[in-house]
Each structure stands twice: as C-alpha cells, then as structure tokens.
Amino acid sequence: MPHVPVDTDVYEVFAQTGAGSALSHVGSIVAPRREAAWHLAKETYGRRDDLSRLWVVRRTDMIVSSAGDRTLLAAKTRMPHRQPRFPTTRRRDRSDGPDTPATAPDTAIAGAGTQSSAAGPGEAGSARAGADPVLSGLWRALADDLFVLGNRLGERIVDYIDLEESLAVGSIGQEALAHAETVLALHGFDEAAADAHFFDRPQSRWQVSRVTGLLGDWPSTVACALVVSAAVTVLAEESAAYGPAIAAVRDEQLVHLDHWRRWARALAAWPETREEFARAYAEVTHHAGDLFGAAPDDTPAGAADASATAARLHARLAALVGDSGGPGSRLPHQPVPREAGGGGSVLARCLARGSLVREHYAPEVFL
C-alpha cells in the first residue's frame, strides 16, 4: 500500500488557567488540521488543569521578533520617558543647571560634541559638525511637528469608548514625542537642552508645518497624523545611513502610517463621515506643502542643494500620501517654505499645557 503523506503544521498553544491569571504560551504541537490542533492542544495541556481560555495559532501565521529587532524592543533606551521615576530624574537634571555634564548620544547624525543646556535659543538649533545641513534642518523642523502631534494625541486618549483604540492612540502619541527627542539627541542636544528647546522657546520662534494648526476634530487629526507620519517615514528612509536610531524611527513610523491609513479608509467609506473627511483631507493636504520646506542653508550652494533635496522628498511624500486611502490629495506640486510663529491656538495650547505640567509639579510627587 503506497505511503500517503499527511500535511502537518506546527501550532503554538496559549492557555489561561483561571480568570485572574494571564494568557500564557504553554507549548507547541504538530497537527494536520486546525480543528485537530485545538483538540490535541486541549488534551495535551488541559488534562490536569481546568482552562478558562485556549488559543492555538499556526506558527507560520505568527509575526515574531528576531535578534535584529532588539533595538526596536529596547524601551529603556528608545523611550526613557516611559520608565519609572523618569519625571523625578528630569526635574533633578534641570535643577542641576549647566554644570551637569552632557551625555553624548550613542549614535549621532554628525561628528562630535553635545549641545550644552546653557546654549541660547540660536545655538541650541545648530547641527553637529559633519551633518548634512539640509537633512538636519528638515529633521529639526519635523521634530517640532512630532512634538505638537504627540501632545495633541495625548489630549485625545479619553475620546474613545474602545479601549484598544485609546491605547493605540496613546502609544502613537508617546512615540511621536520620543521620536522628537531622538532627533534632538542625534543633533547633540542633551536632555536639559532638549527640554529648553521645547518649553522655553516662544511660539514666535517655532517653525511648525501649517498642518499642525489643523489638529482639531478627529477627521482632521487623522489626516494631519497621516501626512506627518508619511513625511517622517520619507525623511528617515533618506537618512537611513545615519544609524540604528533613525532606522528605529522609520520602522515605528511605518506602523503609525499603517494605523492612520486604516482610519482614512474607514472614514472615507462610512456614509456618516465620508463628506466631512473628504473636506478635512483636502484642507490638510493642501497645507502640507511646507513639510519639507525648512529654511535652507545660507550659502547659495546650500540653498540649491536644499531646493533639490526638498523637491525630491516632496515628490516621494506626494506618492506616499496619494496612496494612503484618502479621498484625494491636494498636496502642492512643489514644496513651500515654512513660516515662523505658526501653529495657531493648537501650538499655543500645547506649550501652555506643557509649561503648566512642567512648572507646577511638587518636588515630592514622584518620590
């Protein structure tokens, strides 16, 4: 009798033994079919314990981390603001003043030296020696946009009945703030200088994109977040040679971009929101021409290089935004310059709330 091969798959088994316990990975099995896999898992891992839940997943359907993902998973270095006692540490560092030694970031866009916390507003914005001045200017401009977006998303966490969506928006907001600080660290800012850059600059010195002033209702917020995330993704791909920190920013922004694309498709499809989102998307993309419009270098050669770089990045942004599931992009054909002092009431509220939190915490709150 000829041998008939049986197709089999490896399945990973997750089980919960009680209402108060966690759903945990308990082992693996080999089975020919999905239904058989579940019953085999029940008999193998549930013979001695009463199970509350049993999940069986084909291993090939799972998305798992690899050794190369360790940088992305290292929250202590990627997002220190999520760690315990971080607010206390930051207040202590600020109170130490300019005598506190600056710590150089482990990866840097340019050669050497950190920005001192005593640097003035103009000095704190200078790029490190050896960096591409065009890309540096674009990164610092997008850091401002990320800071405002992150703060705005933080305000919207309480808007959701769906807990999962609330957590997703909160996580994206935190990562936007972390990416803004990463950009400054890569340009030599220590923690005190980055803090001063975001909280001690008057609004007249900010050069946020005009889209940040449109962070209002939810359709506008989705459109704004989508184009900002797309711009950061494009610039990160252009700057991939700068090291693993920028690669991590790119990978996380791609996840953000996918989240906002899903929202864009949903809002564009629902009859209740279709018309409102179409107006919001048109307005936001119309004002997004300055995302790559940061001020060029002062020299004529630098200005020419900046113009060519901005045009190339803008074209890639237009392609990415146009393919994002929105109801039609009105992004200008060419980038336009950013203007100082924009952001309107959105930036003003962001700075006021941040300063309030920063200045009125009692020293013992987090001790």
Side-chain angles (χ1 to χ4, degrees):
M1 185 174 184
H3 172 68
V4 179
V6 177
D7 291 333
T8 59
D9 278 310
V10 178
Y11 292 80
E12 301 299 333
V13 182
F14 300 82
Q16 182 182 23
T17 56
S21 64
L23 185 71
S24 303
H25 180 256
V26 294
S28 307
I29 59 169
V30 176
R33 299 181 308 280
R34 294 175 62 228
E35 297 79 5
W38 192 90
H39 286 286
L40 181 59
K42 176 177 69 70
E43 293 300 319
T44 303
Y45 297 104
R47 296 178 67 182
R48 292 178 175 85
D49 295 304
D50 292 330
L51 301 181
S52 300
R53 284 191 295 174
L54 180 67
W55 290 8
V56 182
V57 186
R58 184 185 287 111
R59 180 182 290 177
T60 55
D61 291 338
M62 298 177 67
I63 302 174
V64 299
S65 62
S66 64
D69 295 325
R70 289 179 181 175
T71 301
L72 289 175
L73 300 175
K76 287 186 177 180
T77 56
R78 178 168 54 87
M79 285 177 282
H81 61 278
R82 292 187 176 183
Q83 303 307 313
R85 300 184 64 82
F86 175 74
T88 303
T89 303
R90 285 294 296 274
R91 278 201 313 279
R92 184 173 62 247
D93 291 345
R94 285 201 301 268
S95 65
D96 288 340
D99 293 332
T100 302
T103 302
D106 54 355
T107 56
I109 283 181
T114 58
Q115 297 292 343
S116 167
S117 59
E123 298 171 287
S126 60
R128 305 180 104 194
D132 184 324
V134 177
L135 296 184
S136 293
L138 294 173
W139 269 121
R140 291 196 304 275
L142 282 178
D144 283 0
D145 298 333
L146 285 168
F147 181 82
V148 178
L149 175 63
N151 276 278
R152 179 59 182 146
L153 292 179
E155 295 180 42
R156 300 201 68 98
I157 293 176
V158 298
D159 288 357
Y160 300 98
I161 298 174
D162 186 341
L163 177 61
E164 290 298 323
E165 182 59 28
S166 177
L167 293 172
V169 171
S171 178
I172 290 173
Q174 285 186 312
E175 290 185 353
L177 295 173
H179 293 168
E181 189 167 8
T182 295
V183 169
L184 295 192
L186 291 174
H187 284 83
F189 287 68
D190 63 19
E191 289 184 351
D195 189 82
H197 182 74
F198 286 131
F199 291 106
D200 292 340
R201 273 187 304 163
Q203 184 167 348
S204 60
R205 296 188 64 89
W206 286 64
Q207 289 190 337
V208 293
S209 168
R210 284 175 289 183
V211 301
T212 59
L214 302 175
L215 282 162
D217 57 16
W218 183 238
S220 296
T221 297
V222 169
C224 290
L226 190 153
V227 297
V228 170
S229 183
V232 177
T233 299
V234 166
L235 188 57
E237 290 173 348
E238 181 79 8
S239 311
Y242 288 152
I246 290 296
V249 169
R250 176 201 61 209
D251 292 343
E252 289 171 356
Q253 286 293 331
L254 282 170
V255 175
H256 300 181
L257 181 60
D258 186 56
H259 179 90
W260 300 122
R261 280 173 161 172
R262 289 197 300 271
W263 263 108
R265 288 193 293 267
L267 292 175
W270 293 335
E272 298 86 351
T273 59
R274 183 182 302 145
E275 186 175 341
E276 181 183 8
F277 183 63
R279 287 196 301 268
Y281 199 76
E283 183 179 15
V284 168
T285 54
H286 175 69
H287 286 84
D290 62 351
L291 281 167
F292 290 126
D297 191 67
D298 292 333
T299 63
D305 290 344
S307 179
T309 299
R312 183 177 70 254
L313 295 174
H314 183 83
R316 289 165 58 187
L317 173 65
L320 197 56
V321 170
D323 190 35
S324 290
S329 171
R330 292 181 56 198
L331 199 72
H333 294 299
Q334 296 293 329
V336 297
R338 292 193 182 219
E339 297 178 356
S345 61
V346 173
L347 177 56
R349 184 173 64 249
C350 170
L351 297 179
R353 290 178 68 253
S355 296
L356 183 67
V357 172
R358 180 178 182 249
E359 293 169 4
H360 293 284
Y361 271 139
E364 68 277 5
V365 166
F366 293 101
L367 294 179

